[in-house]
Amino acid sequence: MATVTAAERRAEAKRAYDAYVAACPSRKLLDTLSDKWVSLVLNALADGSKRYSDLARTIAGVSQKMLTQTLRGLERDGLVTRTVTAAVPVRVDYRLTSLGESLLPLMAAIKQWAESHIDDVEAARLRYDADSENSP
Amino acid sequence: MATVTAAERRAEAKRAYDAYVAACPSRKLLDTLSDKWVSLVLNALADGSKRYSDLARTIAGVSQKMLTQTLRGLERDGLVTRTVTAAVPVRVDYRLTSLGESLLPLMAAIKQWAESHIDDVEAARLRYDADSENSP
DNA sequence: CGGGATCCTCCCTGATACTG
DNA sequence: CAGTATCAGGGAGGATCCCG
């Protein structure tokens, strides 16, 4: 890589995806990944396929509308597969694709970080709010 | 309201934070971390402190309202520090705290994943949309 | 059981203007 | 420069009803 001209570097920089650019597709993808329901759904599918009702039970507080909407988006983006088993009653299973599984460790890490650092954050909030009372 | 026994309360207290529970503080923290601006701001502060205007320039498309609001939230949660330098004109610098730095690798990984897998996702979308045209 | 369709309500967000 | 204040609109998201 010794002979990389400045022009080549400029061309590369121009071509590479950059999530800081508002119009860049990767920025929009980052926006969708930064959805509260996406991270929870992906984590919920960590250990194999789950039925729709299983997901709804695991992720407390999600409305069926948002769950369906989130799953549709993930399916469209190739992160989960949707399998309908014709039976009575109908059975629908969701499972991570290999692409989804490549993302899972990152989402799991975020979720875990939130659960293990919430104490630090709440302590910081108390300090911040206490300071705010004295200034105005 | 159901009666909650002392044993139940003890069991609840003993249980670790679980982001799947809607009322759990860690769930709310996960929600704030799952904010499109939060991930971008944290990434923008990766290599040292930055001024307000630097951040606004780095993160294309953010309104000053949302940037300020996001920074205030991050400051309150103890993820960034805000330093005002009395001068003309005023200078305000933002920097990650150690807590914020512990989160940075995770956010950077997400951003990088988005930039490197956007092609796969767009391909999946084309396939999904193509299939949808044949069914209705 | 697993949604689709509808309605309705905030709040997120984007301009715009002003200040220290 | 680094915000604060205010207003308006648009879409995200919840609740409800219904169907295959």
Side-chain angles (χ1 to χ4, degrees):
Chain A
M1 297 293 277
T3 53
V4 178
T5 69
E8 282 170 338
R9 256 182 281 110
R10 253 180 281 117
E12 172 63 21
K14 198 171 181 181
R15 191 202 62 77
Y17 289 123
D18 182 0
Y20 286 132
V21 179
C24 182
S26 72
R27 163 69 166 273
K28 288 173 184 166
L29 177 57
L30 182 60
D31 289 349
T32 61
L33 295 184
S34 298
D35 183 80
K36 52 190 277 190
W37 300 124
V38 167
S39 60
L40 287 168
V41 167
L42 258 40
N43 273 294
L45 290 173
D47 37 302
S49 74
K50 271 205 173 70
R51 302 184 59 171
Y52 180 89
S53 50
D54 289 337
L55 289 171
R57 217 172 309 113
T58 302
I59 305 168
V62 65
S63 66
Q64 53 85 350
K65 174 180 176 177
M66 291 318 298
L67 181 54
T68 299
Q69 187 174 304
T70 302
L71 287 168
R72 287 285 184 281
L74 292 175
E75 187 194 0
R76 193 173 104 98
D77 290 351
L79 296 175
V80 305
T81 57
R82 178 173 179 271
T83 307
V84 181
T85 304
V88 181
V90 187
R91 177 195 178 93
V92 181
D93 289 271
Y94 292 91
R95 176 186 289 274
L96 290 180
T97 63
S98 57
L99 188 62
E101 282 177 348
S102 74
L103 177 59
L104 177 60
L106 312 183
M107 301 306 256
I110 298 279
K111 178 172 179 288
Q112 203 166 359
W113 190 96
E115 290 172 352
S116 61
H117 289 80
I118 178 64
D119 288 332
D120 298 331
V121 169
E122 290 198 317
R125 284 180 189 162
L126 289 177
R127 259 179 279 122
Y128 183 90
D129 294 345
D131 289 352
S132 299
E133 283 176 7
N134 306 339
S135 28
Chain B
M1 294 303 266
T3 308
V4 179
T5 69
E8 282 169 340
R9 254 183 281 108
R10 252 180 283 115
E12 173 64 23
K14 199 172 182 180
R15 196 173 309 142
Y17 289 125
D18 182 1
Y20 287 131
V21 180
C24 182
S26 71
R27 163 69 166 274
K28 289 172 185 167
L29 177 56
L30 182 61
D31 288 350
T32 61
L33 295 185
S34 297
D35 182 79
K36 53 189 277 189
W37 299 125
V38 167
S39 60
L40 287 168
V41 167
L42 258 39
N43 273 295
L45 289 174
D47 37 303
S49 74
K50 272 204 172 67
R51 303 185 57 172
Y52 180 89
S53 49
D54 289 336
L55 288 173
R57 217 172 309 113
T58 301
I59 306 168
V62 66
S63 66
Q64 76 285 58
K65 176 177 177 178
M66 291 318 297
L67 181 54
T68 300
Q69 186 175 305
T70 302
L71 287 167
R72 286 285 184 280
L74 292 175
E75 187 194 359
R76 193 174 105 97
D77 290 352
L79 296 175
V80 305
T81 57
R82 178 173 180 271
T83 309
V84 181
T85 306
V88 180
V90 186
R91 177 193 179 94
V92 182
D93 289 271
Y94 293 91
R95 175 186 291 273
L96 290 179
T97 63
S98 57
L99 187 61
E101 282 177 348
S102 75
L103 177 60
L104 177 61
L106 312 184
M107 301 305 255
I110 299 279
K111 178 172 178 287
Q112 202 167 0
W113 190 96
E115 289 171 353
S116 61
H117 289 81
I118 177 64
D119 288 332
D120 298 332
V121 170
E122 290 198 316
R125 283 181 189 161
L126 289 178
R127 260 179 279 123
Y128 184 91
D129 293 345
D131 289 351
S132 300
E133 283 176 6
N134 306 340
S135 28

